[in-house]
Amino acid sequence: FCCSKLLEAALVAALGGLLFGFDTVVISGAEQYIQKLWSLSGVTQGICISAALWGTVLGSLIGVFPAERLGRKRTLLIVGILYLVSSAGAAVATGAASFVVARLLGGVGVGLSSVASPLYVSEIAPADIRGRLTGLFQLNIVVGIILAFMSNYVV
């Protein structure tokens, strides 16, 4: 990779961190609306809100398997598909069950990206800048959290 291609690849891979931070926090701005929309009990509301985090745990536990078998780049493509399906599914959810499934899939994507993104970046980066480029994933988690709080404030 030349320098601009390397930085571009690292930034694209680190976008998983942005979605990680954003998806983890943005639900806090919608939880009361979701509870009212479907008249959820406290337990059901908790399941709806925590589904993505449970998916993240699962995705991070199994993330090494597709990353090793399919490669990091293909795994990141699968993550993108999971994000897309999750977002669309959550947007058109007609009840708590479909919403939980959509959020769970998104969480699995987040967990997979938390494994595959840093691995991919560390493999393509030269040793002298590897730490800085891999740190972009962590930085993007924080940026995603800030963006989620900002969007919650605006809405």
Side-chain angles (χ1 to χ4, degrees), residues 99-152:
F99 186 73
V100 166
V101 169
R103 295 273 299 155
L104 191 66
L105 283 176
V108 170
V110 166
L112 289 173
S113 76
S114 72
V115 173
S117 288
L119 282 174
Y120 176 71
V121 173
S122 69
E123 288 175 351
I124 65 169
D128 59 329
I129 59 170
R130 186 172 297 139
R132 281 179 273 172
L133 290 182
T134 304
L136 288 174
F137 185 82
Q138 301 300 321
L139 176 65
N140 273 342
I141 292 174
V142 175
V143 170
I145 290 169
I146 292 168
L147 289 173
F149 279 128
M150 289 171 59
S151 71
N152 286 347

Side-chain angles (χ1 to χ4, degrees), residues 31 35-36 38-50:
E31 75 171 293
Q35 193 277 329
K36 290 176 187 171
W38 294 316
S39 302
L40 302 177
S41 69
V43 171
T44 307
Q45 181 182 8
I47 292 169
C48 284
I49 303 307
S50 67

Side-chain angles (χ1 to χ4, degrees), residues 41-126:
S41 69
V43 171
T44 307
Q45 181 182 8
I47 292 169
C48 284
I49 303 307
S50 67
L53 294 175
W54 289 110
T56 300
V57 170
L58 177 62
S60 63
L61 288 173
I62 65 169
V64 70
F65 300 114
E68 288 291 323
R69 177 164 283 201
L70 304 173
R72 282 73 158 132
K73 199 171 188 179
R74 280 193 182 142
T75 301
L76 290 173
L77 289 172
I78 291 168
V79 165
I81 292 167
L82 285 173
Y83 284 152
L84 181 66
V85 170
S86 171
S87 297
V92 300
T94 57
S98 58
F99 186 73
V100 166
V101 169
R103 295 273 299 155
L104 191 66
L105 283 176
V108 170
V110 166
L112 289 173
S113 76
S114 72
V115 173
S117 288
L119 282 174
Y120 176 71
V121 173
S122 69
E123 288 175 351
I124 65 169

